[in-house]
Amino acid sequence: MTAANRASEERRGGTVVVTGGGTGGHLYPAIAVAQALRRKRPVIGILFIGREAEKDRAEVEKKGIDFVGLKLEGLQRRISLTNLRSLAYAAGGLWRCLRMMKRYPKGVVFGVGGYVSAPAMVAGKILGWRVTMHEQNTIPGLVNRIMAPWCASVFITYEETKKWLKDTACEWTGFPLRRELIERRRQASVAAKECPGILVIGGSQGARKLVETGLEALKRLDEANLPYRAVVQAGERNYEWAQTLGAPQRAELVPFIHDMPEAYAAADIVVSRAGSGSLAEIALWGRPSILVPYPFASENHQQKNAEVFAQRGAARLIPENELTTEALSEALAGLLRDEEKRKTMSARALELARDDAADRIAEEILRWLEA
């Protein structure tokens, strides 16, 4: 089939603009939904509009999806001259989206929120497209609160989000995870372990206090002669610094984990921030967790995300201002010594897992496309 014939067939199948990115937490759920759309309707036209960044473009295009990058940057939460530049970029992005999207019959825009999604979602509303959105956190951010009333459907990760979007058609779907993660989870086998595994992650950039306290807490476990094996992700920017802290013999310090399914499979306890993507993966693998929310997240959404897991008995929550070597080592030691507690927390985490989120969102988008 020629490229021209393929484009013509895709237009007959309808067009969906998927928009988002800037961080992995926004990029990967958008890719997951795009993949689900392509599986359900192979001839559908999908245009991915994101922030111009080499990593974002590479991740989208290797899935066989067309990518358009916009020059965008987020607004500062204070009076700043850079905000004028950000607004100028946003206006330029909106104009470009309007020009591009006018070439297509009216379709559906699916955004994952944040400033990267705004230009395409606003353009879709102006042009009469159906606009849909996924809110990944318990408390919607500013852009999503503004956009929500415009949306035909808002898909949410947590049922608790409904109280923040009372006049909006919300559908609880969970967090859309990439198909390859879900398949790896389904194929994973239970392997015998010599001792429990601990996984310490602070996001792709790491988290200095979490890494430093994590390493010190593991040393305390050594002193108490508790059996464990650990992997600590320091983040690529922090790896050289973290090496100066010294890792216990039974802990592996790494800059970045490329195979997260393997890391989750080896872990019995996860120490992590409380971004929605990380929590969705922790729930998918049914891992007991100790959550240390990032205290400067917008709307303090990581704290609220972590509270959902803690209230359901799936996690132990330690606010960053209470994160000490003693607090973390005691929490880890308690879980290492109590296998039944780990099993109970694991079951509670699995209750929070949704592995069909991307498919459910794709089905709703296709319903709007046909309408």
Side-chain angles (χ1 to χ4, degrees):
M1 182 184 294
T2 66
N5 288 340
R6 170 75 181 180
S8 175
E9 196 169 321
E10 285 181 349
R11 289 194 182 209
R12 286 198 299 273
T15 301
V16 177
V17 167
V18 178
T19 180
T23 64
H26 283 99
L27 179 67
Y28 292 122
I31 290 174
V33 171
Q35 289 179 298
L37 286 166
R38 184 59 56 79
R39 285 196 305 273
K40 292 178 181 297
R41 186 177 291 181
V43 297
I44 196 171
I46 300 176
L47 180 65
F48 196 110
I49 299 178
R51 184 174 66 92
E52 186 54 71
E54 185 178 342
K55 179 182 178 182
D56 289 27
R57 178 179 290 279
E59 288 292 325
V60 172
E61 290 184 343
K62 75 181 183 182
K63 305 297 183 186
I65 299 168
D66 292 335
F67 180 87
V68 174
L70 305 177
K71 193 170 185 178
L72 298 168
E73 65 181 20
L75 289 168
Q76 301 292 319
R77 291 182 174 270
R78 54 184 173 79
I79 297 174
S80 168
L81 290 175
T82 60
N83 282 345
L84 295 176
R85 183 179 65 195
S86 299
L87 291 171
Y89 287 160
L94 172 59
W95 176 247
R96 190 175 173 196
C97 288
L98 286 167
R99 291 182 63 190
M100 280 188 295
M101 293 167 64
K102 281 176 68 175
R103 303 171 191 164
Y104 298 87
K106 292 177 184 177
V108 178
V109 179
F110 169 71
V112 291
Y115 70 93
V116 177
S117 291
M121 292 178 70
V122 173
K125 186 66 177 177
I126 292 171
L127 295 173
W129 291 45
R130 298 280 190 182
V131 179
T132 62
M133 179 180 74
H134 180 263
E135 171 51 60
Q136 60 180 247
N137 294 304
T138 310
I139 302 177
L142 176 61
V143 171
N144 287 13
R145 289 203 301 270
I146 293 171
M147 295 289 181
W150 295 1
C151 292
S153 296
V154 176
F155 311 106
I156 54 177
T157 301
Y158 303 105
E159 289 186 282
E160 288 80 355
T161 305
K162 289 180 180 178
K163 67 183 179 183
W164 298 94
L165 301 172
K166 293 180 180 178
D167 300 322
T168 305
C170 294
E171 181 178 348
W172 176 49
T173 61
F175 186 94
L177 291 167
R178 288 166 290 164
R179 192 70 175 180
E180 51 265 37
L181 292 179
I182 295 169
E183 291 300 324
R184 287 283 298 277
R185 177 64 181 99
R186 290 173 179 171
Q187 295 165 7
S189 58
V190 179
K193 299 175 184 176
E194 293 181 5
C195 56
I198 298 171
L199 176 62
V200 181
I201 48 177
S204 60
Q205 301 303 321
R208 283 205 168 200
K209 185 172 182 180
L210 186 56
V211 170
E212 184 172 13
T213 309
L215 290 171
E216 292 302 317
L218 294 175
K219 293 174 185 176
R220 292 284 183 95
L221 300 182
D222 282 356
E223 293 169 4
N225 292 318
L226 285 169
Y228 74 91
R229 298 293 298 179
V231 175
V232 180
Q233 177 186 270
E236 292 172 327
R237 293 181 181 178
N238 294 329
Y239 182 60
E240 190 173 336
W241 159 81
Q243 287 179 303
T244 67
L245 302 175
Q249 187 175 358
R250 287 180 286 172
E252 181 184 4
L253 182 66
V254 298
F256 185 77
I257 299 173
H258 294 281
D259 192 340
M260 285 305 300
E262 182 179 345
Y264 283 120
D268 295 275
I269 305 166
V270 178
V271 182
S272 175
R273 290 302 198 189
S276 286
S278 296
L279 293 184
E281 293 176 6
I282 289 169
L284 180 70
W285 286 84
R287 295 304 185 241
S289 57
I290 298 170
L291 302 176
V292 185
Y294 178 57
F296 304 110
S298 61
E299 312 294 337
N300 200 25
H301 68 256
Q302 286 206 9
Q303 175 73 20
K304 301 302 181 182
N305 294 348
E307 286 174 0
V308 171
F309 273 62
Q311 289 163 6
R312 305 286 178 87
R316 166 84 181 269
L317 194 163
I318 303 179
E320 180 142 326
N321 61 1
E322 298 176 17
L323 180 64
T324 62
T325 300
E326 291 76 13
L328 184 55
S329 61
E330 287 175 8
L332 286 169
L335 288 175
L336 288 173
R337 292 185 175 113
D338 193 342
E339 185 177 357
E340 287 304 312
K341 178 67 172 176
R342 297 203 306 271
K343 288 180 179 178
T344 300
M345 292 176 71
S346 176
R348 297 289 185 269
L350 285 169
E351 289 172 1
L352 289 163
R354 298 293 295 267
D355 65 2
D356 62 347
D359 287 327
R360 293 184 63 190
I361 292 170
E363 287 166 4
E364 184 72 4
I365 290 171
L366 291 174
R367 186 177 72 81
W368 283 119
L369 193 62
E370 290 161 3

